[in-house]
Structure formats: structure tokens, C-alpha cells
Amino acid sequence: MKITVIGAGAVGATTADNIARRNFAEEVVLLDIKEGFAEGKAQDMMQTSALLGFDTKIKGVTNDYLQTAGSSIAVITSGIPRKPGMTREELIGTNANIVKEVVQNLIKHSPDITILIVSNPMDTMTYLALKVSGLPKNRIIGMGGALDSSRFKYQIATKLNASPADLNAIVIGGHGDTTMIPLINKATWNSIPVKNFLTEEEKAEIVHKTMVGGATLTALIGTSAWYAPGAAAAAMVESIALDQNKLFTASVYLEGEFGQEDICIGVPVILNKNGWDKIVPLDLDAEESAKFEDSAQAVRKMNQVLKDNNII
């Protein structure tokens, strides 16, 4: 099992580190365009193997895609990160060309690869990867919903003083501060509806804090977060690599599901050796359905930028 992570910045390195610690891959290739950067990160991580007890080999390379040949799964984190006050959507011009080139290079050496997109704006970058790769739709997956759902559970757990492990709660829709939809009325605490323990004001607060979770961290840190994104990507890779059939919210290509066509957006899916294997239907109420439609339209506007600039 060989896994490639493109981009050795904070998110990419954390993804590689999490995958190595989970000890299910034989090799992780960490690739970056900056000379020596990935090599240094890989060597630093490998020097923890005796302390942490993993056997995965981490190999850093500088822009040499031949070293990625035969990869089963690749995680693309490359591109510029957000700065304070910047939206994910503002990254599209720079990151689209980077992601397009990365996808083409990966497929050249690993034609049967499954690709997980982390780069922002994530839904649009996932759509771009699907269109330029020619891969089956089930082998192109966007990470954002898994991260947003984890942040959602954190906010609920903090409010209820509960263990996040006892919560079932998901976020659907676009991976954006105004497009994600935390499904607060469907969240449960060991099968008991979370709404039973919350006032309307508390529910609204949790939803708001979830939606601006990334921007909040960017303002505090000065750049995009990396621990939770890296952990989310690694968990998704593990479910695919080990055929675990775990349910995640992920950005995938819809062809009529949830009333949407020709779009990649966050919905519940099963991840296994096929990539995303099936979309899990949700019984959305009228308000949730309207929010999903609005989210889809916002994502379509971002996708149109790709077409207007002849990127796809």
C-alpha cells in the first residue's frame, strides 16, 4: 500500500504523519516543489517511528512524480493557504492551476489512483479534478465535510460537556463559511436527539460557530488550520485503504442525487476500496432542502469561474 501526499506544508505534513502513525500503509511519499522541504519533513517524521512504534516508511521528494508511481491513494493539499480575512473562494485563481497540474502528473504515473482533495476552494477543486482526470467519479473525493462534521461535534460536545465520540452529527453542503449546513436537528447523543438538550439560541450558536470554525482559527493562528484537516484526511484514506465502509460527509459528484446535477458537494457517503461507494440518502426538511439548494448554487458560481477562465 503506497500513499502519496502532495504538499509538505502544515496540512500535508500532518496528513502524512497521521497516516504513518495509523500504520496501515507500507510507504507514504510526501512531495513538494520546494527543494529539500519534503525530504526534511519526512526525515523528521521517520525519526519518531521508534518512539511511536510505526513501520510505515515516509519518503520526501522534490517535485519528482516518478517517485509516486504505483500509489493507490493520493491526497492533494497543495496551493496557497488562507490568510486572515480571506475566504476559501478567493484562492480559486492560484490553486486551480496548481491542482490541475498535480492531478495530471499523478495520473500519468498511477492511472488507477483514488484522489482525495483538500486544497481550497475544496468543492470546486474536487470538480476540477474530476473533469481533468478522466477518472471514474467514485475515485475523486473532497475532504471538507469530514472536517466540518468533526468541528460540529466539537461545538456540540463543548456546549453539552459530552464526549465527541458519543455524538453523531454531520455537516452537508459546500465547504465554505456561508455554504455548509450543520444538521443540528438530526444530531444525536447516543441516539438521543441533541435538540432535546439545547435551546433555540444554543442551537443557533453551535451552527454559527461551526460554519465560521475555519475562519476563527485563521484569525487566531494567522493561517489555515492543519491538525484537524490532517486528521480528517488520514481517517478518510484509512477507510478507503482498509475497505472499512465508514460513513463520512464528502464532496462527491452528483448526478441527480439530492436534486443536483453536475456538481461536487458535501453529502453522506460510504468510503471503501472503491473510493466512495455509495451516497447515503437523507430525509431533509423544507428548510434544510432550501439551504442545500442555496449552497449548491453558490458552489456552481465558483465552478463557473473555471469555465470562464478555460481551466476546464
Side-chain angles (χ1 to χ4, degrees):
M1 174 66 65
K2 182 176 182 178
I3 296 166
T4 287
V5 178
I6 305 296
V11 175
T14 305
T15 299
D17 186 46
N18 272 274
I19 291 171
R21 289 177 187 231
R22 289 169 181 260
N23 212 23
F24 62 85
E26 181 179 356
E27 181 180 16
V28 173
V29 176
L30 183 62
L31 184 148
D32 201 277
I33 61 171
K34 184 178 178 181
E35 186 71 36
F37 192 56
E39 289 88 339
K41 291 281 187 86
Q43 189 172 135
D44 190 16
M45 282 184 268
M46 282 303 299
Q47 290 169 6
T48 71
S49 62
L51 300 167
L52 298 174
F54 64 81
D55 299 308
T56 301
K57 301 297 185 291
I58 309 169
K59 181 178 184 179
V61 300
T62 301
N63 214 30
D64 182 5
Y65 281 86
L66 184 59
Q67 299 299 316
T68 72
S71 293
S72 300
I73 305 166
V75 182
I76 300 178
T77 72
S78 45
I80 60 171
R82 282 207 289 177
K83 301 297 182 185
M86 180 184 288
T87 66
R88 293 180 178 91
E89 290 76 16
E90 289 174 313
L91 304 175
I92 187 169
T94 300
N95 287 355
N97 288 312
I98 294 172
V99 169
K100 181 177 181 179
E101 181 179 355
V102 168
V103 168
Q104 291 169 337
N105 281 321
L106 284 170
I107 292 172
K108 186 185 303 180
H109 299 286
S110 303
D112 297 321
I113 201 165
T114 295
I115 297 176
L116 181 66
I117 302 292
V118 178
S119 306
N120 279 315
M122 190 274 308
D123 299 288
T124 296
M125 294 301 101
T126 304
Y127 184 77
L128 169 64
L130 179 72
K131 294 299 182 179
V132 302
S133 69
L135 291 175
K137 64 180 182 179
N138 62 295
R139 283 164 44 198
I140 300 290
I141 305 161
M143 180 277 290
L147 170 61
D148 297 332
S149 297
S150 182
R151 287 174 171 166
F152 188 28
K153 290 178 185 178
Y154 163 75
Q155 295 296 343
I156 297 171
T158 300
K159 181 62 69 175
L160 296 181
N161 193 27
S163 167
D166 283 345
L167 298 171
N168 281 298
I170 64 169
V171 176
I172 62 171
H175 179 57
D177 300 350
T178 60
T179 56
M180 68 178 75
I181 307 161
L183 296 176
I184 188 70
N185 288 326
K186 290 181 169 54
T188 61
W189 185 3
N190 272 351
S191 80
I192 303 170
V194 163
K195 63 183 180 181
N196 291 2
F197 306 98
L198 300 168
T199 66
E200 290 300 316
E201 292 76 17
E202 288 171 329
K203 287 163 56 178
E205 180 187 3
I206 289 169
V207 168
H208 174 71
K209 286 186 175 181
T210 300
M211 294 178 71
V212 299
T216 300
L217 292 172
T218 300
L220 291 169
I221 300 169
T223 187
S224 297
W226 58 89
Y227 293 118
M236 296 173 80
V237 168
E238 183 178 39
S239 188
I240 297 166
L242 299 184
D243 197 28
Q244 290 179 328
N245 288 302
K246 287 188 175 181
L247 189 151
F248 290 88
T249 306
S251 184
V252 300
Y253 189 68
L254 302 187
E255 294 180 295
E257 301 91 349
F258 290 85
Q260 301 298 326
E261 296 271 359
D262 190 35
I263 190 173
C264 291
I265 194 169
V267 294
V269 297
I270 302 298
L271 298 185
N272 59 26
K273 64 183 179 181
N274 297 317
W276 67 268
D277 191 60
K278 63 181 178 180
I279 294 171
V280 179
L282 278 173
D283 184 17
L284 300 179
D285 62 28
E287 181 181 2
E288 292 163 345
S289 295
K291 287 180 178 179
F292 191 81
E293 176 63 31
D294 290 344
S295 180
Q297 292 308 314
V299 171
R300 288 185 202 284
K301 289 181 180 178
M302 293 304 304
N303 294 349
Q304 189 61 42
V305 176
L306 299 176
K307 299 172 183 177
D308 292 344
N309 289 276
N310 297 315
I311 298 173
I312 57 173

